[in-house]
Amino acid sequence: MSQNISVPDIGDFDSVEIIEVLVKVGDQVSKDDPIVTLESDKSSVEVPSPIAGKITELNIKVGDKVSKGSLLAKLEGAPSSDERSKAEKDDSESSTEDKRDNSESNKEASEKRYSKSVNIIKNKNKIFASSSSADGDIDPLETNEWIESLNAVIENDGPSRASYLLNKVVSEAYTAGLVLPDTRTTPYINTIPTELEAKSPGDQNIEKKIRAYIRWNAAAMVVRANKISSELGGHIGTFASAATLYDVGMNHFWRAKNKDFGGDLIYFQGHSAPGMYARAFLEGRLSDKQLNRFRQEVNPGGLSSYPHPWLMPKFWQFPTVSMGLGPIMGIYQARFLKYLINRGLLKDEGRKIWVFLGDGETDEPESLGAISLAAREKLDNLIFVINCNLQRLDGPVRGNGKIIQELEGSFRGAGWNVLKVIWGSYWDPLLKADKTGLLMKRMNEVVDGEYQAMKAKGGAYVREKFFGKYPELKKLVSSMTDNDIWKLNRGGHDPHKVYAAYHAAVRHQGSPTVVIAKTVKGYGMGKSGESINTTHQQKKLDEKDLLYYRDRFNVPLTDEQVKNIEYYKPAENSEEIKYLIERRKQLGGFIPERSSLAVPIKAPPKDIFESFMKSTGDKEMSTTMALVRMLTNLLRDKNVAPRLVPIIPDEARTFGMEGFFRKIGIYAHEGQKYEPEDSEQLSSYKETKSGQVLEEGITEAGAMSSWIAAATAYTNHDIEMIPVYIFYSMFGFQRVGDFAWAAGDAQARGFLIGATAGRTTLAGEGLQHQDGHSHILASMIPNCVSYDPTFSYEMAVIFREGLRRMHEKNENVFYYITAMNENYSHPEKPEGADEGILKGMYLFKEYKNKGKIKIQLLGSGTILREAIAAAKVLSEEYNVDSDIWSVTSFTELRKNGMEIERKNLLNPDSKKEKSYIEKCLEKRDGPIIAVTDYVRSYSDQIRPYTDKSFYSLGTDGFGRSDTRKNLRKFFEVDKEHIIAYTLSALAKEQLLGSESAEKAFRKYNIDKKKAFPTKL
Ligand SMILES: Cc1ncc(C[n+]2csc(CCOP(=O)(O)OP(=O)(O)O)c2C)c(N)n1
Ligand SMILES: [Mg+2]
């Protein structure tokens, strides 16, 4: 059967150019294989073959203009149902590359999941034994009848029938116009009723001892460090409050990565790090010498203050101490894990992402900002544990309210499974004995400020202030001593309650879970720091405090040993150590541990980039378009294609990337449940479960978190991925700078693209868009390699090298490249320019016509083109010759300059080594004029590394909307200003009289009275 391949609906474009013909007569093509690439002035898009078959006729050639319906080719063939799409093929090929043994059968893999048995709600005889008049009940008998009816339904027809009836009744009530009470929150009690708690199989006695030793060693480590110097700091109170939350996970839930299993991923709360070191010490992974080096990292072997993979690359996985970043990065990590599974790149092993955060940390917008996404994406591989010790650094988190209730409302509202762990087991008999409901009422009415004070002030205070409010409650505890009352524990310190919550959390399906646990900050620290406002910064414990701490947790150390702040570690063959090691063995190994089994990606063939090395002739395009075309080409390479992760926060059309929607699909875990409005079009909005594009919506923080997840997949999932996050205008580094820093710490590998960059290049948008400083921000991150290319061949050389360094050679750097939306023609790559492009500068053009006067003209990005134009005028009209340097990276030049200068200073007797800038410029005459579309400090970076006079022009000041021409005039980086300022600089250098400059100022109407742009 012969079939025509015609141009489908390409949206608003007519008469677009064919820039590539990707098949020839006789070629066998699969369905969706690209036939030609079309390019409008804004974007390029491939036309796929509608069916599989053999090309029998080609009706077009490169350069032809086509419109909707134009005949492109004919082919012989028929659609074949078993034909797998190219993407699918690539996916399966790449997943077999994974070094980890993936041959395991699905059955075995599924055994590594937690058993699916959910907590079946058992029948309860009574929900409330009797109702109370204290809560305004005007007819307790009637209330009881309702409750008994409900109990009868639960008993006879089961909980789901009871839920159904309740829902029905509630719906009826809404229809009748009743205003029902707010149900975002549940009573201030544990979510899991006592009788439904899963029981821990662990040996509680041994676990208690282990926990005590870990607590002790963590505190001892901080106190010891501060004996060395109080500069060193550290925290005791946070881990003291969280020890049980971590210990239960370590002993029973968190499965390590090993050759058979990918491992659960745990985001530890940053300043609870001492606890993780203390456990690793008992596990034999860290020595006492290393503990003694807590926060003394300058010499090798120290332990980092917080989780920093850069500093402890074999230990820490996630940098979490900048509050708020851990939670959102954890959410997107869970989402990215599902993405890898849904794309067929990883098998589903039921791995979990656990994220620990403080209650104060939830103040950060990033902490809660993506919780609705987590629910929407049904991330049941995600578990948050919020340690609600009711305090942050300065004082109570919600003194006048209840943080646990507030969080419950937010998470429930967002669609999470919420498990509150508020009260410990000692409260169980009291709650059971509370026939009036008053205890729960009291629990509900006390605010966090009071709860905190109670734990600071002792049992008598609690009796008086908490139970004393109602005579019935006072009576309830009348047989208890003050000490008994003091022992009434909080849920987060009760291993039974914590176990039950984690057990339920890992089995929950369909939505993420948050465990909200109530604890005491500085638990066990007594007068020196338990539940007091200054707990957070307590890093010194005196002898008395230490003895108290030892006694409180029964740590078997003599007074003398306590005074010496000795660590405690039982013998290797003690039951505690054997137990601890055995537990971890059962769970597959130690946590945290950072490793990578990822296989490097084979570099794509050179020809993928070859077309960009040639001149575009009259054809104009932007560097953004060139990059998008490069990515399109890379999607044809079988090694690279499946690993590319294009990430865009709602700006694909801005960058001309809409062609990716149809070609590789937008990732959507539920596929596409609707027919898109533009389904007939070539670039229609295609959402699919195996989609490759991460279309994030308007969240730069989310997009950056996705990028970090993908950029560290080589270690967290043992698969090398190539994330390319293209952000819009200044909403890149400026918005997500802290994430970019964390990415450096995490040793991310991938591309960040600052698109429509440059203060005057993104013309119309104005002050809060035009980016004139992202390169400065990027330059501060030690392992970020950044470039501001002008021409498509520069972009190609840089991008290719990025792929090679990061994904083939596995260097732990990431690339930041700015791309512009200004269309212009691109010249051919000058012979031998590659090295200079990568090092930061190369000679683009020389004027040596007639002039005796010479300048070194350095430019980057679009403003290089203004410099090129200025050079021509300077040469032709003013007899000033120039060497024009394309500076692809002032930042890379500076790095080299700094390093060489230091080397020379360290070796005063040796022959002076030359920096790359010096090598380029040493034999060249004249002062340097450097021009960029960025603030002057960008080009000023290299000032110290050259002896030449240096003048920089840049775009300091607030941007504003106007045309490019007017903006460049305003910021004084246009051709005319470059000419005039160059002539003036030459006058200052006494290489030329001042008349030329004055003439130019007049000729170009340069207003000398205009204020400096930063003041306008
Ligand atoms: C972005 C950021 N701001 C400030 C800090 C400094 N800081 C460290 S811990 C802390 C208080 C933490 O309180 P919470 O989250 O309740 O944790 P807790 O120690 O109580 O468990 C602050 C403000 C930080 N680490 N990160
Ligand atoms: Mg707190």
Side-chain angles (χ1 to χ4, degrees):
M1 186 185 91
S2 173
Q3 175 152 348
N4 289 349
I5 306 177
S6 309
V7 176
D9 187 346
I10 44 177
D12 278 345
F13 300 102
D14 206 21
S15 190
V16 289
E17 189 178 334
I18 293 184
I19 58 161
E20 280 175 305
V21 177
L22 301 158
V23 291
K24 46 189 191 316
V25 172
D27 280 0
Q28 198 69 40
V29 294
S30 302
K31 179 174 182 289
D32 286 338
D33 273 358
I35 303 299
V36 299
T37 308
L38 308 177
E39 189 166 85
S40 69
D41 60 344
K42 214 178 125 276
S43 67
S44 56
V45 60
E46 291 172 350
V47 178
S49 173
I51 59 166
K54 190 174 173 184
I55 303 287
T56 53
E57 208 177 299
L58 264 182
N59 306 72
I60 37 75
K61 58 182 184 320
V62 170
D64 285 358
K65 299 263 169 91
V66 292
S67 301
K68 183 180 168 189
S70 306
L71 180 64
L72 297 172
K74 287 186 179 172
L75 91 174
E76 200 69 54
S80 129
S81 57
D82 62 359
E83 174 107 0
R84 292 155 69 212
S85 76
K86 188 172 177 302
E88 280 168 345
K89 262 190 269 163
D90 287 341
D91 285 358
S92 61
E93 273 164 24
S94 59
S95 59
T96 54
E97 262 183 47
D98 195 345
K99 256 198 191 165
R100 193 183 305 128
D101 179 10
N102 273 0
S103 61
E104 215 175 5
S105 72
N106 280 344
K107 187 174 157 286
E108 279 171 294
S110 69
E111 274 166 15
K112 296 221 176 54
R113 297 164 188 238
Y114 295 102
S115 81
K116 289 228 176 86
S117 69
V118 280
N119 266 327
I120 305 293
I121 298 181
K122 291 183 211 145
N123 294 347
K124 281 179 86 182
N125 284 336
K126 282 265 185 275
I127 291 184
F128 304 120
S130 71
S131 50
S132 143
S133 57
D135 60 3
D137 190 345
I138 55 160
D139 190 349
L141 272 180
E142 187 186 38
T143 312
N144 251 343
E145 275 170 29
W146 276 69
I147 290 171
E148 268 160 24
S149 304
L150 179 63
N151 283 333
V153 176
I154 296 175
E155 225 156 278
N156 299 328
D157 303 321
S160 59
R161 171 71 187 152
S163 297
Y164 176 83
L165 283 177
L166 282 175
N167 274 327
K168 248 321 205 228
V169 170
V170 170
S171 298
E172 272 304 308
Y174 278 124
T175 326
L178 249 67
V179 181
L180 294 179
D182 179 2
T183 52
R184 278 176 314 155
T185 55
T186 61
Y188 198 59
I189 53 170
N190 296 348
T191 308
I192 304 175
T194 321
E195 56 273 32
L196 299 184
E197 286 166 0
K199 297 281 169 265
S200 167
D203 182 324
Q204 293 307 320
N205 264 334
I206 300 183
E207 288 188 18
K208 195 171 170 188
K209 286 187 198 167
I210 293 170
R211 199 155 46 246
Y213 309 156
I214 294 175
R215 283 178 184 285
W216 171 265
N217 291 332
M221 186 183 72
V222 176
V223 176
R224 269 182 168 250
N226 283 282
K227 284 239 180 261
I228 296 169
S229 165
S230 60
E231 284 175 38
L232 297 177
H235 301 90
I236 301 171
T238 296
F239 178 70
S241 75
T244 308
L245 298 174
Y246 286 115
D247 229 38
V248 172
M250 287 286 198
N251 284 333
H252 300 285
F253 291 94
W254 302 336
R255 301 153 303 173
K257 169 161 121 178
N258 55 38
K259 72 174 187 21
D260 302 320
F261 181 68
D264 293 327
L265 300 176
I266 322 294
Y267 287 69
F268 294 101
Q269 191 188 4
H271 53 287
S272 65
M276 308 314 130
Y277 295 140
R279 171 171 263 272
F281 169 64
L282 290 191
E283 290 168 344
R285 297 202 289 150
L286 294 178
S287 66
D288 52 354
K289 282 197 187 66
Q290 283 170 290
L291 293 201
N292 283 341
R293 299 276 309 285
F294 175 57
R295 292 191 173 222
Q296 297 145 77
E297 305 177 79
V298 162
N299 294 317
L303 299 181
S304 65
S305 47
Y306 302 116
H308 294 304
W310 183 262
L311 299 167
M312 292 178 69
K314 296 207 164 116
F315 195 85
W316 293 117
Q317 296 172 285
F318 306 108
T320 48
V321 79
S322 177
M323 307 199 125
L325 303 196
I328 190 169
M329 288 194 294
I331 289 175
Y332 281 85
Q333 177 68 261
R335 201 291 210 94
F336 190 69
L337 177 55
K338 295 232 177 201
Y339 166 94
L340 289 175
I341 293 166
N342 283 331
R343 286 196 50 214
L345 292 166
L346 274 191
K347 65 183 176 190
D348 186 359
E349 302 175 297
R351 293 166 65 199
K352 301 280 180 194
I353 316 298
W354 292 71
V355 179
F356 279 76
L357 57 153
D359 47 358
E361 186 170 5
T362 62
D363 289 342
E364 292 282 6
E366 291 88 348
S367 298
L368 302 188
I371 60 172
S372 55
L373 168 118
R376 204 184 318 132
E377 299 266 333
K378 299 192 170 45
L379 300 180
D380 50 12
N381 56 349
L382 176 67
I383 298 162
F384 267 28
V385 181
I386 308 186
N387 176 17
C388 293
N389 53 27
L390 314 186
Q391 291 176 241
R392 41 184 158 78
L393 194 153
D394 283 340
V397 175
R398 295 287 184 275
N400 291 324
K402 284 220 272 299
I403 185 65
I404 291 180
Q405 298 301 87
E406 185 181 318
L407 291 172
E408 179 186 38
S410 302
F411 280 91
R412 268 167 67 97
W416 285 51
N417 172 40
V418 177
L419 298 173
K420 293 196 288 189
V421 185
I422 303 179
W423 308 109
S425 306
Y426 290 123
W427 286 92
D428 288 343
L430 287 182
L431 278 161
K432 208 166 182 184
D434 171 37
K435 304 291 178 205
T436 59
L438 265 180
L439 179 57
M440 196 157 81
K441 178 177 158 65
R442 184 70 187 129
M443 286 169 164
N444 276 328
E445 70 191 12
V446 172
V447 293
D448 282 355
E450 281 184 74
Y451 275 122
Q452 184 197 334
M454 283 172 196
K455 278 297 173 194
K457 296 195 174 172
Y461 186 89
V462 179
R463 184 192 300 279
E464 184 58 30
K465 293 281 179 182
F466 183 81
F467 294 104
K469 168 104 187 254
Y470 301 113
E472 292 94 326
L473 290 188
K474 205 160 189 180
K475 204 165 144 229
L476 194 66
V477 293
S478 57
S479 62
M480 293 169 76
T481 64
D482 287 350
N483 202 28
D484 290 339
I485 290 180
W486 179 241
K487 274 194 183 149
L488 288 169
N489 54 345
R490 290 188 179 167
H493 295 299
D494 185 332
H496 306 282
K497 302 285 182 194
V498 174
Y499 181 90
Y502 288 3
H503 184 272
V506 293
R507 283 162 180 78
H508 179 75
Q509 292 183 346
S511 59
T513 292
V514 57
V515 176
I516 309 180
K518 181 162 167 158
T519 62
V520 180
K521 192 143 178 169
Y523 185 69
M525 288 168 72
K527 293 264 170 294
S528 66
E530 187 155 350
S531 205
I532 56 178
N533 277 338
T534 52
T535 301
H536 189 82
Q537 278 161 314
Q538 185 59 270
K539 54 186 182 173
K540 292 179 189 156
L541 296 179
D542 63 22
E543 231 170 79
K544 200 164 71 357
D545 295 334
L546 284 166
L547 289 166
Y548 174 85
Y549 204 61
R550 174 204 60 184
D551 294 343
R552 174 90 180 248
F553 296 110
N554 292 322
V555 183
L557 287 173
T558 64
D559 287 3
E560 197 54 31
Q561 287 172 311
V562 169
K563 282 173 201 158
N564 293 335
I565 325 172
E566 287 183 24
Y567 301 119
Y568 182 73
K569 183 176 177 186
E572 290 302 320
N573 60 359
S574 63
E575 59 172 8
E576 297 95 309
I577 297 294
K578 281 197 326 218
Y579 182 91
L580 172 114
I581 299 290
E582 181 55 26
R583 287 311 311 143
R584 288 312 316 162
K585 223 178 182 169
Q586 288 299 321
L587 290 160
F590 294 118
I591 281 180
E593 198 167 74
R594 187 176 182 279
S595 63
S596 175
L597 301 169
V599 179
I601 300 172
K602 202 165 160 273
K606 261 193 152 183
D607 62 323
I608 287 223
F609 295 96
E610 227 32 60
S611 60
F612 302 97
M613 308 302 177
K614 300 196 184 87
S615 163
T616 59
D618 291 339
K619 198 173 155 43
E620 298 195 333
M621 66 174 182
S622 66
T623 42
T624 302
M625 276 174 80
L627 177 75
V628 172
R629 259 169 68 178
M630 254 168 252
L631 295 175
T632 309
N633 284 3
L634 283 167
L635 286 169
R636 294 178 202 143
D637 180 75
K638 93 173 188 355
N639 296 312
V640 172
R643 308 304 180 86
L644 271 180
V645 186
I647 302 171
I648 335 149
D650 203 31
E651 294 286 355
R653 293 178 201 280
T654 314
F655 307 135
M657 289 178 75
E658 60 270 41
F660 283 36
F661 293 166
R662 178 89 164 246
K663 185 174 166 57
I664 49 175
I666 297 166
Y667 173 69
H669 71 104
E670 293 181 306
Q672 193 157 37
K673 297 176 177 170
Y674 61 96
E675 182 169 333
E677 164 277 316
D678 55 1
S679 59
E680 298 299 312
Q681 287 184 16
L682 185 54
S683 301
S684 87
Y685 201 82
K686 183 178 138 198
E687 300 195 64
T688 153
K689 195 167 174 177
S690 61
Q692 195 164 348
V693 175
L694 285 174
E695 163 61 90
E696 302 290 8
I698 311 162
T699 164
E700 281 76 17
M704 194 65 189
S705 299
S706 277
W707 182 81
I708 292 172
T712 53
Y714 72 91
T715 158
N716 297 320
H717 308 295
D718 289 331
I719 180 166
E720 186 81 30
M721 300 299 288
I722 310 170
V724 185
Y725 168 17
I726 308 191
F727 46 66
Y728 176 53
S729 77
M730 63 166 58
F731 312 127
F733 276 86
Q734 167 149 321
R735 177 60 80 96
V736 293
D738 203 14
F739 286 93
W741 186 258
D745 188 350
Q747 303 179 42
R749 298 176 191 153
F751 294 92
L752 291 174
I753 309 293
T756 43
R759 182 90 81 211
T760 67
T761 307
L762 175 56
E765 294 284 20
L767 187 150
Q768 259 177 0
H769 282 77
Q770 292 155 348
D771 166 34
H773 51 272
S774 64
H775 273 289
I776 295 294
L777 302 176
S779 74
M780 298 301 147
I781 301 174
N783 51 350
C784 174
V785 183
S786 54
Y787 291 99
D788 184 33
T790 310
F791 298 122
S792 56
Y793 63 80
E794 295 176 354
M795 180 68 97
V797 169
I798 292 163
F799 201 88
R800 187 178 63 193
E801 177 69 356
L803 284 177
R804 192 191 68 81
R805 284 179 68 182
M806 295 187 287
H807 303 297
E808 193 193 345
K809 296 293 167 207
N810 296 154
E811 246 187 87
N812 289 322
V813 293
F814 65 94
Y815 271 53
Y816 174 56
I817 311 173
T818 38
M820 275 65 83
N821 69 343
E822 186 171 347
N823 287 338
Y824 44 83
S825 58
H826 297 250
E828 183 167 338
K829 184 182 77 172
E831 191 78 28
D834 293 55
E835 191 195 343
I837 291 173
L838 298 174
K839 286 189 164 166
M841 70 191 279
Y842 66 94
L843 189 63
F844 176 76
K845 189 177 166 111
E846 271 179 274
Y847 275 99
K848 38 185 175 187
N849 299 343
K850 33 196 164 164
K852 291 196 197 100
I853 310 164
K854 190 101 194 250
I855 54 160
Q856 301 302 311
L857 203 43
L858 276 54
S860 79
T862 49
I863 302 301
L864 172 64
R865 298 180 65 252
E866 299 286 339
I868 294 168
K872 187 165 187 288
V873 178
L874 283 167
S875 169
E876 288 171 1
E877 295 182 23
Y878 298 92
N879 288 346
V880 173
D881 276 352
S882 53
D883 295 330
I884 307 170
W885 298 86
S886 173
V887 181
T888 47
S889 179
F890 283 98
T891 306
E892 285 301 294
L893 293 178
R894 177 178 174 81
K895 284 184 194 166
N896 172 263
M898 290 192 293
E899 204 173 334
I900 301 293
E901 182 179 78
R902 172 175 177 270
K903 207 167 170 186
N904 288 332
L905 287 171
L906 286 171
N907 300 287
D909 289 337
S910 308
K911 188 166 172 271
K912 186 174 169 284
E913 204 176 303
K914 287 178 182 137
S915 67
Y916 179 67
I917 311 164
E918 283 174 291
K919 282 185 199 158
C920 288
L921 298 178
E922 64 184 341
K923 297 209 174 84
R924 311 251 163 198
D925 294 329
I928 294 172
I929 314 286
V931 286
T932 75
D933 212 3
Y934 289 84
V935 290
R936 285 170 177 77
S937 36
Y938 178 48
S939 47
D940 282 350
Q941 289 188 94
I942 64 167
R943 259 186 209 247
Y945 308 109
T946 165
D947 301 335
K948 296 190 182 307
S949 297
F950 197 104
Y951 300 87
S952 51
L953 303 180
T955 53
D956 299 73
F958 282 123
R960 57 210 60 211
S961 53
D962 213 309
T963 60
R964 285 190 187 114
K965 189 168 173 25
N966 284 344
L967 286 169
R968 284 173 189 166
K969 185 174 166 71
F970 174 81
F971 282 107
E972 308 179 356
V973 291
D974 57 354
K975 174 181 85 175
E976 291 79 10
H977 278 87
I978 298 171
I979 295 166
Y981 278 129
T982 298
L983 295 169
S984 186
L986 289 169
K988 192 164 173 282
E989 299 293 319
Q990 299 190 339
L991 294 167
L992 195 71
S994 59
E995 351 42 86
S996 301
E998 294 294 356
K999 195 176 120 198
F1001 284 134
R1002 278 195 304 280
K1003 177 172 175 193
Y1004 300 128
N1005 288 325
I1006 292 172
D1007 176 8
K1008 291 193 183 183
K1009 293 211 181 67
K1010 187 186 123 196
F1012 190 62
T1014 54
K1015 296 185 175 152
L1016 293 169

